[in-house]
Amino acid sequence: MSAEAPRNHNTGEPIPPQGHEGGFSKFLRGFFVVSSEIQPTQLPSELSDFAAKINRGAEEGLNMAQQAELRRIEQERQSVERRLRAQEANEQQRRQLIENRLQRLEGIKQITEDIRIRDRLAYIRTTVWEGKGQIQDMTTSSASITEFNSLFENWDPRVAFALMYTYPSADREESGHGRQGYSYGYNWRLAPTTEITSLEVCIHSVDNKRYLDVISPCLIQEEEKILIDRITWGNGVYGNNDDHRVDWVHGPYTWEGYKPLNGSVVPVGVKAIIRIPIDRLSSEEIEEKLDQILINETTARVRGNTVPSKLILSGQEKLRRAKASPQWMKWEWVLTDSVTD
């Protein structure tokens, strides 16, 4: 028995079958059929064109939204791909830079071995330095290159050996710079310290150019001491201009450092760098130039009594005088200014 067609409960007439309606059509029907008792079930004919336009607009809006979403997904995919490609390019550049630096390090290591830098320093230690001091290897490690940090992209490797000797001495110490009550000043005393003398030979690479540096405070010749006089301080403020600047890159001198003195900061000293561009030189030419520099350094060191046996005596004399002073390990306040509020 077939199911009976539904009937209108007011007239008893069968309700004609309806086609499949979309959600929006159902919304419109619900909108126009306010009450089934007073309104017909059919959409008014005069609104049929309007309803068709509304349906088309809704479908077009849906299609546009779908297309926009597809475009967004595609743009996001392309953005991820570009980011991955950029990361891979950066990583490849990083790997290449590390590989280049490792190759440069191996190249200057070979030069160092060819001209036997460590053996030369060992001979100087045995003879001129009377067996005193230690040779320290200050070569850039391969690990530090592998752990490359992009912040130091201009940094380059080096191979360096330094003959160093430390000895006890005494020096002035300062502390407590600032206000004390109604005055400004600082504390000072004499205290034990450790001094050091060194001779360093370094081969390094800068901007794909290679240099051999010999670094020693004894390489400052008598006629060049005017340089130290040019390192002047006016009113306690250093004038950083071309007449005063002394640095590693533009050598041949570099600062040893600074320290407080009499309420001001002054340079501790200057050490000389003798630099040899080596890219166009043969091993024999490099050795010849290096030998002459080391001979000059040795001569200056002997003439200036800066060999270890003389330096340790000098340090002992400084200690003796310092221990005899009332300021030995006792702080003394030095007034530099007063408050007149």
Side-chain angles (χ1 to χ4, degrees):
M1 182 175 178
S2 61
E4 186 178 2
R7 295 175 179 275
N8 189 307
H9 68 279
N10 291 325
T11 63
E13 296 295 327
I15 298 175
Q18 301 293 321
H20 176 73
E21 291 183 321
F24 192 75
S25 297
K26 291 181 180 180
F27 163 76
L28 289 176
R29 182 172 296 282
F31 177 77
F32 286 105
V33 182
V34 179
S35 171
S36 60
E37 294 184 354
I38 61 175
Q39 295 291 339
T41 58
Q42 297 293 323
L43 187 69
S45 60
E46 60 269 21
L47 292 179
S48 59
D49 289 343
F50 168 72
K53 293 177 182 178
I54 288 292
N55 282 328
R56 285 197 301 272
E59 290 175 358
E60 290 174 358
L62 178 61
N63 289 336
M64 290 175 64
Q66 290 174 338
Q67 292 300 319
E69 178 65 11
L70 290 175
R71 286 195 298 271
R72 185 191 67 79
I73 293 173
E74 177 62 17
Q75 290 172 355
E76 192 172 280
R77 183 189 66 79
Q78 292 178 2
S79 176
V80 170
E81 288 183 352
R82 285 195 299 271
R83 187 164 59 250
L84 291 175
R85 286 196 299 269
Q87 290 175 352
E88 176 58 29
N90 290 338
E91 180 61 23
Q92 177 61 32
Q93 184 180 14
R94 174 183 173 276
R95 289 194 297 265
Q96 186 62 52
L97 186 55
I98 289 174
E99 180 62 28
N100 292 342
R101 289 180 177 174
L102 288 172
Q103 290 178 0
R104 288 201 293 273
L105 179 62
E106 291 305 312
I108 57 182
K109 277 184 177 179
Q110 187 60 53
I111 297 174
T112 306
E113 294 173 1
D114 290 344
I115 61 178
R116 305 176 71 87
I117 287 177
R118 185 159 196 160
D119 290 343
R120 281 173 160 78
L121 291 179
Y123 181 79
I124 291 174
R125 176 185 177 274
T126 302
T127 55
V128 182
W129 288 41
E130 302 145 331
K132 295 180 174 62
Q134 300 293 329
I135 297 177
Q136 296 187 9
D137 188 344
M138 303 170 68
T139 299
T140 301
S141 69
S142 299
S144 68
I145 296 178
T146 304
E147 297 169 0
F148 166 74
N149 188 324
S150 60
L151 293 176
F152 302 102
E153 58 185 16
N154 295 323
W155 175 88
D156 283 290
R158 71 175 194 159
V159 177
F161 294 98
L163 178 56
M164 310 179 78
Y165 176 68
T166 58
Y167 54 97
S169 184
D171 201 0
R172 177 186 176 114
E173 285 185 356
E174 294 183 7
S175 71
H177 289 257
R179 180 171 177 171
Q180 188 177 92
Y182 291 97
S183 64
Y184 290 95
Y186 61 94
N187 286 301
W188 77 277
R189 69 177 182 179
L190 295 175
T193 188
T194 298
E195 294 194 48
I196 184 170
T197 188
S198 63
L199 168 60
E200 179 181 339
V201 181
C202 166
I203 298 181
H204 60 119
S205 172
V206 179
D207 297 330
N208 294 320
K209 296 179 181 179
R210 296 177 300 181
Y211 303 92
L212 185 150
D213 290 348
V214 180
I215 307 165
S216 169
C218 298
L219 287 170
I220 299 178
Q221 303 298 320
E222 293 296 326
E223 61 271 23
E224 295 169 339
K225 285 187 177 179
I226 188 174
L227 172 73
I228 299 177
D229 297 331
R230 293 171 62 191
I231 303 169
T232 58
W233 293 75
N235 298 323
V237 179
Y238 175 59
N240 187 19
N241 55 51
D242 289 337
D243 288 337
H244 300 139
R245 186 179 295 113
V246 180
D247 57 31
W248 178 282
V249 176
H250 301 292
Y253 303 97
T254 183
W255 294 115
E256 287 183 337
Y258 307 91
K259 71 175 181 179
L261 182 63
N262 297 330
S264 299
V265 178
V266 299
V268 174
V270 175
K271 61 182 177 182
I273 296 177
I274 303 299
R275 173 162 294 174
I276 306 172
I278 60 175
D279 284 331
R280 298 183 180 180
L281 300 178
S282 65
S283 294
E284 292 77 14
E285 291 172 318
I286 296 173
E287 285 187 81
E288 182 179 353
K289 291 180 178 295
L290 175 59
D291 287 347
Q292 187 58 56
I293 295 172
L294 293 178
I295 291 170
N296 293 342
E297 199 274 347
T298 295
T299 302
R301 187 173 290 273
V302 172
R303 186 176 62 243
N305 290 325
T306 54
V307 293
S309 61
K310 301 295 184 181
L311 290 173
I312 195 170
L313 292 176
S314 173
Q316 290 172 352
E317 178 61 19
K318 287 182 181 180
L319 268 173
R320 185 192 65 78
R321 291 198 306 266
K323 289 180 178 179
S325 170
Q327 273 66 53
W328 174 250
M329 300 302 291
K330 292 182 181 180
W331 292 107
E332 177 180 336
W333 176 257
V334 177
L335 178 66
T336 59
D337 199 359
S338 60
V339 180
T340 58
D341 293 340

